Amino acid sequence: MMTDKLIVISDLHIVAPGDRIIGIDPAARLRQALDHALATHPDASCILLLGDLTHHGLPAEYAHLRDILAPVPIPVHMTLGNHDRRDAFDAVFPGRMDANGFICSSVPLRGATLVICDTLDGPPYDDRHHAGRLCPERLRWLDTALSGTDRAILALHHPPAPVLMPGMDAIGLANGAELLDLVDRHPSVAQMIFGHIHRTISGQMRGHPFAIFKSPCHQMPMDMTSRSTSLSVAEPGAYGIVCVTKTCIIVHSEDFTLDPPLIDDPHSA
């Protein structure tokens, strides 16, 4: 019945070995996520890393990530988020940039095409500015990539419309309306997936279904009033599972750090 299964890990925020974010080691959490996903979903087609691969965009952080990914036995696709830096990424992961210098790719799967677009705004960079942007080159690339699909899963780091969390909405995709205008023209887009918010969120944007995933590391608290973009809470780490069948796309979220024992109790059904 299933044609594809994608493991989605967003907002890794890898730092130098030994460093932590709110007391959590992002590298240890990523290793735990990968071990859990590969053991629980050995039929996965690939892994997608959905931006904010590192916390400071430093070459040493990307090298640390490269070493963590080295043993992974299935394809790993990735793109960039606002904490990433192109030159440092390219120095450690050469050959992944497209002709325009972006980390965009179109990945044919058995039941859909995974279209991955880089939303990092820059260079130049402003460390106080974390909104994303799609330049004309990337919008043209997306238009072409989606034109060649019968069924597409569109993956970006920054959501293109508000999720009613004021702080994070202020640093979403700055020209999100342009992205949604483009999606409106491509009925092949069956699902959109995003990161950036560090929460599990789903719904529709202009009628198009979307899902947003938590981080394997630190999370954004459920706060629909604050304008801060740096609120963090040590909720369980998670990854996403996107399952593609002939008739459906199903999106799950797995809080892998909980990993409770299974209890088969008929009275709980």
Side-chain angles (χ1 to χ4, degrees):
M1 181 180 179
M2 194 180 331
T3 60
D4 298 294
K5 182 188 284 186
L6 286 67
I7 303 299
V8 183
I9 306 176
S10 188
D11 299 278
L12 292 58
H13 287 268
I14 296 297
V15 291
D19 286 353
R20 282 165 170 68
I21 298 175
I22 67 164
I24 299 170
D25 181 347
R29 280 290 184 86
L30 176 58
R31 289 190 182 96
Q32 186 181 357
L34 290 168
D35 288 346
H36 189 283
L38 292 168
T40 311
H41 305 284
D43 56 340
S45 306
C46 62
I47 293 171
L48 169 62
L49 305 183
L50 201 49
D52 280 3
L53 307 176
T54 67
H55 195 57
H56 303 101
L58 299 174
E61 294 174 337
Y62 289 111
H64 195 23
L65 174 60
R66 178 194 59 203
D67 294 344
I68 295 169
L69 296 176
V72 175
I74 61 175
V76 177
H77 307 287
M78 57 183 87
T79 192
L80 303 183
N82 45 289
H83 280 262
D84 293 306
R85 295 295 179 261
R86 299 188 192 286
D87 290 349
F89 173 87
D90 187 51
V92 178
F93 293 97
R96 290 187 179 251
M97 282 189 174
D98 64 18
N100 293 313
F102 304 117
I103 314 302
C104 299
S105 57
S106 183
V107 181
L109 304 170
R110 288 170 295 182
T113 301
L114 176 61
V115 179
I116 309 164
C117 194
D118 169 354
T119 57
L120 173 58
D121 186 8
Y125 305 109
D126 180 348
D127 289 338
R128 298 165 298 174
H129 176 74
H130 288 277
R133 183 175 295 277
L134 290 174
C135 59
E137 289 83 2
R138 277 173 282 181
L139 287 168
R140 283 193 292 269
W141 178 88
L142 261 180
D143 196 27
T144 300
L146 292 174
S147 294
T149 64
D150 295 322
R151 189 189 198 194
I153 299 170
L154 177 58
L156 307 94
H157 181 75
H158 290 84
V163 296
L164 304 184
M165 301 180 78
M168 297 306 292
D169 288 342
I171 59 168
L173 189 64
N175 57 336
E178 287 185 83
L179 182 278
L180 291 174
D181 287 346
L182 191 153
V183 173
D184 286 343
R185 300 196 300 270
H186 290 281
S188 62
V189 177
Q191 179 73 46
M192 301 187 297
I193 56 177
F194 313 119
H196 191 51
I197 310 294
H198 294 232
R199 285 210 67 82
T200 303
I201 307 172
S202 61
Q204 294 184 349
M205 293 177 178
R206 290 199 196 168
H208 306 290
F210 76 90
I212 299 175
F213 301 102
K214 289 169 67 177
S215 165
C217 186
H218 55 297
Q219 314 306 337
M220 173 66 69
M222 186 62 229
D223 186 330
M224 299 178 74
T225 59
S226 174
R227 296 191 174 277
S228 173
T229 61
S230 57
L231 299 176
S232 296
V233 64
E235 290 183 1
Y239 60 82
I241 308 127
V242 179
C243 303
V244 182
T245 76
K246 290 183 177 179
T247 58
C248 301
I249 295 177
I250 302 100
V251 180
H252 293 276
S253 180
E254 175 67 88
D255 287 340
F256 65 89
T257 57
L258 295 178
D259 203 16
L262 297 177
I263 301 172
D264 188 357
D265 182 353
H267 297 292
S268 69

